[in-house]
Amino acid sequence: KILLDKIASLVDENLFGRSEMCIQFAALLEFALKELGLNAQSIGGNAEYKYRDEKWFSWDHAWVIIDDRTIIDGNTDSMKENIMVPDGVSPSPYWGSISGLPDDRRYFPSNLEVVPDSDVDMWWNDLKLFIHEIILK
């Protein structure tokens, strides 16, 4: 949780907040997990989230997979801040087994690239320092 909170605080520095920063969030999380020795990969594609009356909201999104067994979708709590997201869509972040994925979401990997940008490059220095001074201390 401390790692996700730190990444959230970094991407929240974006002018429009972190609700449009799932690619940057996933890229930073991948870098951080690799720094911690884990086999992590950012994945881009389409994600669907269930909301009232069994409707599904779908959008381009990015998440992280560890060792093909664990999925982390850590930036979903900010979705309600995005004007493109309908009222009622408010999924909780998830970090857990792919086989235990909550039934309120579905992921469809595609060719959406998770490419680090200049923001990720800038924030990575701060995050790497945080990892070594706080997490690995």
Side-chain angles (χ1 to χ4, degrees):
K1 178 160 175 15
I2 189 172
L3 181 59
L4 293 182
D5 288 345
K6 178 61 177 178
I7 294 170
S9 73
L10 291 170
V11 298
D12 199 33
E13 293 175 10
N14 177 272
L15 175 63
F16 302 104
R18 67 183 174 97
S19 67
E20 297 182 4
M21 302 296 288
C22 64
I23 289 174
Q24 292 83 355
F25 192 100
L28 284 170
L29 181 56
E30 176 188 343
F31 288 175
L33 293 171
K34 285 181 174 179
E35 187 73 16
L36 293 168
L38 297 172
N39 181 24
Q41 180 183 6
S42 300
I43 306 291
N46 188 266
E48 295 181 349
Y49 299 94
K50 191 186 296 186
Y51 66 112
R52 66 175 174 250
D53 299 324
E54 301 297 314
K55 293 181 182 179
W56 288 90
F57 170 69
S58 176
W59 72 343
D60 289 339
H61 191 55
W63 56 92
V64 174
I65 302 286
I66 303 171
D67 290 328
D68 295 325
R69 293 188 308 262
T70 301
I71 188 168
I72 306 168
D73 189 4
N75 200 37
T76 56
D77 59 322
S78 67
M79 288 174 61
K80 60 185 173 253
E81 299 168 11
N82 190 306
I83 61 170
M84 301 301 292
V85 177
D87 287 339
V89 177
S90 186
S92 298
Y94 179 76
W95 182 325
S97 166
I98 291 173
S99 63
L101 195 65
D103 64 0
D104 70 341
R105 63 196 72 205
R106 305 184 287 215
Y107 302 98
F108 304 95
S110 72
N111 60 356
L112 178 67
E113 282 191 86
V114 180
V115 178
D117 60 14
S118 59
D119 286 335
V120 170
D121 293 340
M122 175 184 63
W123 293 326
W124 172 235
N125 292 327
D126 291 341
L127 184 57
K128 189 173 183 179
L129 185 64
F130 175 82
I131 290 168
H132 287 275
E133 289 185 350
I134 304 298
I135 295 177
L136 295 175
K137 184 176 177 182

